[in-house]
Amino acid sequence: MSDLRARVAGRVRTSRINQGMTQEELADRIGLSVQSVSAIENARNLPGLDTMVVLADVLGLDLVETLGKPNRPQHRMGAELKVQSLIQRLDDDSLGLAVRQLEILVEHSERLTQKRKSRPA
C-alpha cells in the first residue's frame, strides 16, 4: 500500500509542479483542503477513487497508469508527465507542429538504435 501511496504522490506532485500550479490552486480546483493535497503529495494519505478521478482530470493524468504498477523508471515518468503538461498548453496549430517534431525525433532515435545494434562487438 505504501508503494501505491508513494507512486500516486510522486505523479500528483510532478504533474502539479509541471503545470505551474500551487498546492492551494490544486486544492481549490479539486475541492479539498491544502492539508489534504499536502498529505496526498507526501504519501501520508491515498485519495479515494472519486478524488483520484478528479485529480486525474485536473492534472491530465492517466488514471490506470497512475494506479497501476510502473513499467518505466521514475525519472522517465516525470519527463513524460512534463511533456504531457506542456502539450496541454499548446493551441491546435502548435500541437500539430509538436507532434511532427516528435515523430522526427523518434525516427532519428530509432535509426541510431539500429546503427548501434548493427555494429560489430
Side-chain angles (χ1 to χ4, degrees):
M1 183 66 88
S2 64
D3 183 44
L4 178 59
R5 278 198 310 259
R7 192 167 52 251
V8 169
R11 289 183 180 163
V12 168
R13 182 183 318 102
T14 299
S15 184
R16 175 186 60 78
I17 291 169
N18 286 344
Q19 293 183 38
M21 199 181 308
T22 65
Q23 285 186 341
E24 292 82 7
E25 291 167 331
L26 179 58
D28 285 344
R29 291 187 64 187
I30 64 172
L32 291 179
S33 68
V34 175
Q35 293 81 5
S36 294
V37 170
S38 176
I40 292 168
E41 288 190 0
N42 288 295
R44 289 191 308 270
N45 288 345
L46 183 64
L49 187 56
D50 55 340
T51 300
M52 198 61 231
V53 168
V54 174
L55 274 169
D57 183 52
V58 168
L59 296 174
L61 297 171
D62 180 297
L63 191 57
V64 173
E65 185 176 294
T66 300
L67 296 175
K69 287 282 186 197
N71 55 1
R72 294 178 313 281
Q74 187 67 33
H75 73 277
R76 182 170 176 97
M77 288 188 296
E80 289 175 5
L81 284 172
K82 181 159 186 121
V83 168
Q84 196 174 34
S85 70
L86 290 170
I87 285 171
Q88 291 174 351
R89 295 167 45 194
L90 296 175
D91 62 32
D92 289 346
D93 292 335
S94 296
L95 177 60
L97 178 60
V99 167
R100 183 62 193 133
Q101 288 175 328
L102 282 171
E103 288 170 342
I104 291 167
L105 185 58
V106 167
E107 290 168 7
H108 176 73
S109 177
E110 289 172 346
R111 280 193 304 272
L112 286 177
T113 300
Q114 286 301 323
K115 282 183 181 180
R116 285 187 201 117
K117 287 180 180 179
S118 65
R119 287 186 194 157

